[in-house]
Amino acid sequence: MFLRIFVLFTMLMPVVCNSQTFRYPWEEYDKLIKRQVDLTAMDADLFGDSVDLYTGAPGFSTADIILPGIGMSIELSRTMSVGNRAEYRYDDLPMADWNLELPRLSGIFLASTGWASTCNNNGLGAPPPVVVSGHTFRSSDYWQGNRMILPGSGSQDMLVAEANNVPRPGTGGPYPWLTQDLTWFSCKSSRQNSTGEGFVAHAPDGKRYTFDWEAGFFEPAVAWSNTLDTITEPRRRAELYATRVEDHFGNWIAYRYSNAANMPVRLEAITASDGRSLSFSYNTQGHVTQISNGTRTWRYRYAYPAAGKGTLIGVDLPDGSSWSIDAYAMSHIEFQYERSSGPEDVLRTCGYPGPMVNEPGATARLVHPSGAVGQFTVGYGLRGRSNVPKVCSGYTTPYNNPNDDVAQYPLAYHSVVLRKKVLSGPGMEPAEWNYSYGGTISWAPGTGPVCTSGDCAAPICLDDNCAGIAVATITEPEGRWTRYTYGNSYRYNEGKLLTVEKGSGPQQILQTTRHRYQWPLPGTQFATRLGSTQQPRAAGYIAEYLRPVVETTTSRDGVIFRTLNQNFDSLARPINVTQSSAPSP
């Protein structure tokens, strides 16, 4: 068997991995169809906890440092994202299994290229394909698109601009990239620590972000396999960090780094135009141990349960109080799929990624400086979408080996989902939240597995009568119950919140809120997409079009309250808004 050897870049981390670390395309369906934005905060956010109820994915974000001043505050948060860590061999984030929430652009590229999306792109933003031992890895095989991440605003897909009917900034440019919230990107001719262009983001609030410092983080290699060969190509997550943020009054915040372009980010200092500053210290593993503003100091403590694996266990605040954190099991949770050994060993299909060796679950325990305790439990769930065209790469006739079939437009994926949250502490009774999920997962009728003519990616369902849904149900303290219903129909309503029902249970619903949207269907105002993610396999539809709310109705106590948005400007802002109430029919 031919096996391309995966050589780790030794400069990425002073840890050598002796085992192969790679993922097949079907083991990364989640990165293609999992929504990356709109985290919905839980009722009690004492621990910085949040959850995307569309996917069930939990996360944590805590602002340890806020330095107000003239202009923008210096705010520094640490975040923990929870996802499948299978094949990740070490922790190279600034705080081991927690990250510093810094403004940055992010994408997964080949290790040999680093950040490979040009800014002046001539309408093409995807990195190039690569041929390895006769096999071609397309960009859509190893890259899931680029994203902009801003503290407090989550993550947004970066789009190669297409729409000419949406206003660009009045000066400067050209502006070849944008995001759905209409942040536009101009280009900087160079980066500070690597070759290639930088990006300058012009946000709707008037801030300008200069992204021109590259860093690299470990990612498992991408793999392709048939009955004879397994071929892999190393990758890394490349990020372009902001070195300067400036508001429309000229106030600025500057970030100084010291890492090489292919190494994890190492932030040395943050300074502001009015003289405020923060400095950073690190341990030998490259993790932040101390942050100081000159008069106050924040200290960070770690444990290292395994070689290359670290976890943040405590944060000592300047006032003498501390956070205690036990989250290693959650931050390192793994889904390990069974891998087929031959055509007769059928474990998976085009749409189903296959069974797992393990059925993972984990609990994290956080103790707030006040003494309150939060305990969070996660498990795994099969998530997906409906009405997906069944197009299977690798499908052959008359005999087919299902083990090498790859869904061109992924249908389903396994995901880490929040199952339970318990709050307790001195002088309080424990309060418990439980979460469950469901929904529709289906191929589009009459499609696949091979498409030979026409638009193979075209949606089949463009109507509520055939569209599927994803559901999240929360059982809350004191008998409260809430059910959230989202659309999940391929390139129609996926990702949009449709209904929120509240009461004491499914048979005792006291309040129902429904949202109706203007879908970008042919002939409508927003039928022209803003831009393209350049990743045809991903759920880019969520970000590529404006889909404003047309009507919101809330039914409670026999009364219907209605907000009707009529006529929108080019930025999808309503021009006429009518609010009314009436007895339920």
Side-chain angles (χ1 to χ4, degrees), residues 62 64-65 76-80 91-101 217 264-265 267 280-283 285-291 298-304 309-315 325 331-332:
T62 300
D64 288 333
I65 303 172
L76 197 64
S77 297
R78 52 182 166 84
T79 64
M80 185 177 75
D91 297 312
D92 53 4
L93 296 177
M95 293 179 172
D97 51 352
W98 289 68
N99 206 352
L100 282 177
E101 189 69 340
F217 300 85
V265 68
L267 177 64
F280 296 75
S281 300
Y282 294 81
N283 62 16
Q285 287 83 11
H287 300 141
V288 174
T289 56
Q290 183 173 295
I291 304 174
W298 293 257
R299 293 182 171 84
Y300 298 84
R301 294 176 278 112
Y302 303 90
Y304 295 91
K309 296 289 185 74
T311 183
L312 181 67
I313 61 171
V315 180
I325 302 169
S331 63
H332 292 80

Side-chain angles (χ1 to χ4, degrees), residues 397-456:
T397 57
Y399 304 106
N400 181 55
N401 172 15
N403 293 322
D404 64 3
D405 293 353
V406 178
Q408 178 67 11
Y409 311 107
L411 173 72
Y413 63 95
H414 287 103
S415 176
V416 178
V417 297
L418 181 68
R419 292 296 185 189
K420 181 165 56 174
K421 167 185 174 179
V422 179
L423 297 185
S424 60
M428 65 176 290
E429 292 292 327
E432 182 174 313
W433 289 255
N434 288 279
Y435 300 79
S436 62
Y437 309 90
T440 312
I441 301 176
S442 67
W443 291 117
T447 61
V450 177
C451 178
T452 58
S453 63
D455 184 359
C456 300

Side-chain angles (χ1 to χ4, degrees), residues 46-47 78 315 317 319-324 367-372:
L46 185 66
F47 297 91
R78 52 182 166 84
V315 180
L317 304 178
D319 63 3
S321 63
S322 297
W323 282 88
S324 177
V367 182
H368 189 272
S370 67

Side-chain angles (χ1 to χ4, degrees), residues 488-505:
N488 79 343
S489 191
Y490 169 86
R491 297 195 185 182
Y492 175 58
N493 65 3
E494 56 185 316
K496 282 298 189 182
L497 178 62
L498 304 178
T499 306
V500 180
E501 300 163 290
K502 295 184 177 183
S504 58

Side-chain angles (χ1 to χ4, degrees), residues 131-461:
V131 179
V132 181
S133 300
H135 176 73
T136 300
F137 287 107
R138 305 166 299 171
S139 60
S140 59
D141 294 328
Y142 66 82
W143 172 80
Q144 294 89 35
N146 301 326
R147 295 186 176 91
M148 179 181 71
I149 301 166
L150 299 182
S153 300
S155 171
Q156 292 192 78
D157 287 328
M158 293 174 63
L159 311 173
V160 172
E162 292 185 4
N164 293 318
N165 59 331
V166 177
R168 286 168 165 77
T171 59
Y175 297 95
W177 296 77
L178 80 161
T179 62
Q180 191 181 50
D181 76 344
L182 302 182
T183 293
W184 289 90
F185 295 86
S186 59
C187 301
K188 188 174 181 288
S189 60
S190 63
R191 304 176 204 153
Q192 294 193 36
N193 70 332
S194 63
T195 60
E197 297 172 300
F199 293 72
V200 180
H202 305 257
D205 64 1
K207 291 189 180 71
R208 186 171 63 189
Y209 299 79
T210 301
F211 298 101
D212 61 352
W213 189 276
E214 185 173 352
F217 300 85
F218 173 79
E219 283 288 330
V222 63
W224 174 85
S225 180
N226 59 21
T227 57
L228 299 176
D229 300 326
T230 297
I231 299 172
T232 68
E233 180 66 16
R235 295 182 298 177
R236 76 165 179 257
R237 176 164 49 87
E239 297 194 333
L240 297 183
Y241 281 80
T243 56
R244 185 181 178 93
V245 181
E246 186 172 339
D247 67 17
H248 58 287
F249 297 111
N251 304 301
W252 53 262
I253 294 175
Y255 301 82
R256 179 168 57 85
Y257 310 91
S258 62
N259 59 282
N262 64 342
M263 294 183 65
V265 68
R266 190 180 180 102
L267 177 64
E268 299 291 347
I270 302 176
T271 57
S273 52
D274 63 355
R276 291 167 294 151
S277 65
L278 291 173
S279 61
F280 296 75
S281 300
Y282 294 81
N283 62 16
T284 56
Q285 287 83 11
H287 300 141
V288 174
T289 56
Q290 183 173 295
I291 304 174
S292 175
N293 72 338
T295 58
R296 292 179 295 166
T297 300
W298 293 257
R299 293 182 171 84
Y300 298 84
R301 294 176 278 112
Y302 303 90
Y304 295 91
K309 296 289 185 74
T311 183
L312 181 67
I313 61 171
V315 180
D316 300 325
L317 304 178
D319 63 3
S321 63
S322 297
W323 282 88
S324 177
I325 302 169
D326 180 6
Y328 181 80
M330 182 180 291
S331 63
H332 292 80
I333 193 169
E334 295 186 3
F335 298 164
Q336 296 175 327
Y337 289 95
E338 290 190 49
R339 290 175 172 174
S340 305
S341 58
E344 72 286 347
D345 185 20
V346 178
L347 296 174
R348 48 173 302 280
T349 62
C350 179
Y352 176 59
M356 288 179 286
V357 176
N358 59 331
E359 295 186 3
T363 297
R365 185 176 186 270
L366 282 69
V367 182
H368 189 272
S370 67
V373 178
Q375 187 163 295
F376 305 85
T377 301
V378 298
Y380 78 99
L382 184 67
R383 310 294 287 159
R385 50 185 178 168
S386 60
N387 297 305
V388 180
K390 187 177 183 181
V391 182
C392 304
S393 302
Y395 187 89
T396 56
T397 57
Y399 304 106
N400 181 55
N401 172 15
N403 293 322
D404 64 3
D405 293 353
V406 178
Q408 178 67 11
Y409 311 107
L411 173 72
Y413 63 95
H414 287 103
S415 176
V416 178
V417 297
L418 181 68
R419 292 296 185 189
K420 181 165 56 174
K421 167 185 174 179
V422 179
L423 297 185
S424 60
M428 65 176 290
E429 292 292 327
E432 182 174 313
W433 289 255
N434 288 279
Y435 300 79
S436 62
Y437 309 90
T440 312
I441 301 176
S442 67
W443 291 117
T447 61
V450 177
C451 178
T452 58
S453 63
D455 184 359
C456 300
I460 303 299
C461 172

